[in-house]
Amino acid sequence: MSPPLTRRRVLATAAALTLARPAISRAADRPALSHGLQSGDVSGDGAVVWARADRPSRAVIAWATTESFRDIRGGVFVDALPESDLTVKTALQGLPPDQDIHYRVRLQNLAEPTILGEPITGRFRSAPALARDVSFCWSGDTAGQGWGIDESRGGMTIYAAIARNRPDFFLHSGDTIYADGPIQAEVRLPDGGLWRNLVTEEKAKPAETLSEFRGAYKYNLLDRNVLAMNREIPILAQWDDHEVTNNWWPGERLTRAEHRRKGYADANSLVLAARATRAFHEYMPMRFEPAEPGRVYRRVSYGPHLDVFLLDMRSYRGPNGANDETEPSARTQFLGPAQLAWLKRALKASRATWKAIAADMPLGLVVTYDTDAGFGSEGVAQGDGPPLGRELEIADLLRFIRDQDIRNTVWFTADVHYTAAHHYDPSRARFQEFAPFWEFVSGPLHAGTFGPAALDDTFGPQLRFVKAPPAGRQNLSPAEGYQFFGHVAIAGATGQMTVTLKDAADTDLWRTVLDPA
């Protein structure tokens, strides 16, 4: 982050850079933006913008409410240095609400300040102060199971489908990368054809070094669909397990059969998590919390109709064990005490019509931790019956929401690599001290498709819709079309929410309309 520039200083800096342009072109010496632009965590008066340089540079970032940039309203400069892998991100502040914000990034070579790169522009719309129509898309799971960028098939085309919907923002529900998933040059398809991946050195093996974790983010940013969406649609990002390694939990020893197959040199998962956390925060356009630098959970308010509560179901959990404890303890933690207390306070304080709870895992789907041994619980659900293990923490949260009369909570999630709609109702549940609510599942964005998983009756979920691979088929490639995202539209006049589940071709698969209480 850098101190803000005044309008006068921004204009003076821009003029000085223009005057400093050399008469003779030195194209090879011009710094370039290597992986596009991103914006994120947009509110009514601020947003985070991100870029990466190809060499040490000073990034001069200006913003305006017009595409011509004739009236520059503000900006900052940030230095792209090797210590941050040449990434820069900064908070734009003092934005007018409900306005198209155009931002421009231009690089100045630190070694030769008279040499400038070509500017690149991006845009987003700031959150409204008054009620208006609002929309967002969500999904998760990018470049998993070895399905990378096949340029002959158009790359990650689902990102282009999301962009065509022109949402106010895109919620990435976790597994933003697959740090533990190598990308090989070719994958043989069931029909005998070939999936031909774009390959990089950092994605040739599971990530262990900081450079390899960074390389996983840079890999996704090689896709033209991702780059185009990022310049136009702000991102709200959270993480799950594959930003580190499959099904990890803090303190886990990397000694399972899966870990041995992946060849990890260090058996300490916290070493991987520390490097992964740094890379995630370097490459995601999200706010920085000085009180907890690695923090992912936060609230993003987008106008009077919508608050988004992004959760972190990975960093504070207890061990992925049998999940059958009858009393709360450190072993039953999933959100953890601090995050759970924050969520309760934030939900109670929210005055938004809808409280969108962005969870990186579903609540009622049973997911096995160690598939080789057939042991352990990866998520909340552990099987039919009264609350046990991590379900105790979720039961406490759901009871709090009911008792405090917090209305219009809707859960959005990904993780399981198919799309579904679940309705939870106490009349069907073993635990009944909560108000009915919806949970919508989508994904993958660009990964293997799996499922469906079994529903646990503890909180009374009912399956209202599902689209998953046919029986007996798993890890379907993106070429088969089982890639999914969701679209949410909130009407400004009525507050009515319409949720639509879609596939990569932007086909509407299922829809429901929710009236606010």
Side-chain angles (χ1 to χ4, degrees):
M1 300 297 181
S2 296
L5 298 173
T6 65
R7 180 176 179 274
R8 179 176 296 175
R9 287 183 65 200
V10 170
L11 293 173
T13 300
L17 291 178
T18 301
L19 291 174
R21 183 185 296 273
I24 300 175
S25 174
R26 296 175 60 183
D29 297 324
R30 294 183 186 277
L33 293 164
S34 60
H35 292 81
L37 302 176
Q38 298 183 78
S39 64
D41 285 14
V42 174
S43 64
D45 63 354
V48 176
V49 297
W50 176 99
R52 183 180 184 274
D54 67 346
R55 69 198 72 192
S57 309
R58 170 157 291 185
V60 178
I61 304 168
W63 66 267
T65 55
T66 58
E67 193 172 4
S68 67
F69 286 88
R70 290 177 181 172
D71 183 19
I72 294 176
R73 303 284 295 274
V76 295
F77 63 81
V78 193
D79 292 327
L81 299 172
E83 291 81 354
S84 62
D85 201 30
L86 302 175
T87 64
V88 296
K89 67 176 180 178
T90 190
L92 303 183
Q93 298 177 331
L95 306 180
D98 204 16
Q99 291 284 318
D100 281 331
I101 305 298
H102 301 268
Y103 64 99
R104 182 177 65 199
V105 182
R106 190 170 202 180
L107 299 177
Q108 180 181 18
N109 192 324
L110 287 177
E112 298 185 71
T114 60
I115 300 178
L116 311 175
E118 292 297 322
I120 296 182
T121 61
R123 65 162 296 281
F124 57 86
R125 189 165 187 87
S126 56
L130 303 175
R132 67 158 167 88
D133 293 353
V134 169
S135 70
F136 68 91
C137 294
W138 92 95
S139 187
D141 317 304
T142 301
Q145 289 73 50
W147 306 111
I149 302 167
D150 185 339
E151 294 181 325
S152 69
R153 300 175 187 271
M156 300 186 191
T157 58
I158 193 169
Y159 281 91
I162 292 169
R164 285 196 296 271
N165 282 266
R166 302 300 304 168
D168 287 292
F169 59 86
F170 172 62
L171 169 62
H172 201 307
S173 302
D175 292 342
T176 55
I177 60 166
Y178 275 71
D180 57 334
I183 299 293
Q184 306 299 329
E186 294 182 346
V187 182
R188 181 69 62 179
L189 298 173
D191 64 2
L194 284 176
W195 182 279
R196 293 181 171 87
N197 284 315
L198 183 67
V199 295
T200 64
E201 182 179 354
E202 293 92 342
K203 284 294 294 177
K205 60 178 286 294
E208 296 180 85
T209 67
L210 179 57
S211 176
E212 289 166 346
F213 280 106
R214 289 165 166 170
Y217 291 96
K218 285 184 280 195
Y219 182 84
N220 292 354
L221 293 173
L222 296 176
D223 183 83
R224 62 179 182 270
N225 306 288
V226 174
L227 293 176
M229 192 199 81
N230 287 351
R231 286 179 64 174
E232 298 289 325
I233 310 297
I235 302 168
L236 273 59
Q238 58 192 138
W239 75 347
D240 189 27
D241 55 337
H242 288 285
E243 285 82 1
V244 181
T245 190
N246 186 43
N247 294 353
W248 76 281
W249 51 272
E252 179 186 24
R253 299 288 293 172
L254 303 179
T255 55
R256 290 189 280 119
E258 179 180 353
H259 300 140
R260 293 194 295 272
R261 287 194 297 272
K262 291 178 177 176
Y264 289 118
D266 196 313
N268 182 358
S269 66
L270 284 184
V271 172
L272 294 186
R275 295 166 183 157
T277 298
R278 176 163 178 173
F280 177 79
H281 284 273
E282 286 175 342
Y283 275 84
M284 285 295 145
M286 58 186 291
R287 301 175 192 168
F288 172 76
E289 177 53 63
E292 188 179 355
R295 177 168 157 175
V296 174
Y297 70 87
R298 62 205 187 277
R299 179 176 74 172
V300 177
S301 296
Y302 203 87
H305 278 320
L306 179 64
D307 278 351
V308 183
F309 302 84
L310 293 103
L311 304 185
D312 180 354
M313 293 176 156
R314 190 59 52 178
S315 303
Y316 312 99
R317 63 167 61 192
N320 287 342
N323 198 25
D324 58 0
E325 295 84 0
T326 58
E327 297 292 333
S329 69
R331 296 187 65 84
T332 67
Q333 291 176 7
F334 199 57
L335 301 176
Q339 183 178 192
L340 182 61
W342 163 83
L343 180 58
K344 289 179 176 180
R345 291 193 306 270
L347 286 170
K348 187 175 181 180
S350 174
R351 296 296 174 262
T353 305
W354 293 100
K355 293 84 174 170
I357 302 177
D360 43 291
M361 296 196 72
L363 297 181
L365 292 173
V366 179
V367 182
T368 302
Y369 159 54
D370 186 343
T371 54
D372 289 289
F375 167 77
S377 180
E378 157 66 359
V380 175
Q382 50 77 45
D384 292 345
L388 296 173
R390 293 165 177 163
E391 295 171 334
L392 297 170
E393 189 182 77
I394 299 303
D396 174 65
L397 172 62
L398 297 179
R399 183 191 299 114
F400 174 86
I401 291 172
R402 183 203 66 175
D403 291 350
Q404 297 297 318
D405 195 26
I406 299 169
R407 304 182 183 186
N408 306 320
T409 60
V410 185
W411 294 66
F412 297 93
T413 187
D415 179 66
V416 289
H417 294 235
Y418 65 92
T419 189
H422 304 147
H423 185 259
Y424 292 77
D425 193 301
S427 67
R428 298 187 295 264
R430 300 295 187 95
F431 174 81
Q432 298 183 326
E433 299 173 49
F434 68 96
F437 65 94
W438 283 90
E439 175 186 68
F440 299 104
V441 184
S442 198
L445 281 160
H446 191 85
T449 313
F450 295 87
L455 278 168
D456 176 337
D457 73 357
T458 303
F459 302 116
Q462 182 183 64
L463 183 64
R464 296 290 182 87
F465 174 80
V466 63
K467 187 165 185 180
R473 300 198 62 204
Q474 298 291 286
N475 194 19
L476 273 61
S477 82
E480 299 203 37
Y482 285 79
Q483 309 287 295
F484 307 105
F485 69 99
H487 180 272
V488 179
I490 302 173
T494 64
Q496 194 175 65
M497 175 184 283
T498 301
V499 180
T500 307
L501 302 180
K502 293 171 170 276
D503 65 16
D506 203 17
T507 304
D508 293 353
L509 304 175
W510 181 87
R511 175 177 294 166
T512 190
V513 178
L514 308 179
D515 293 316

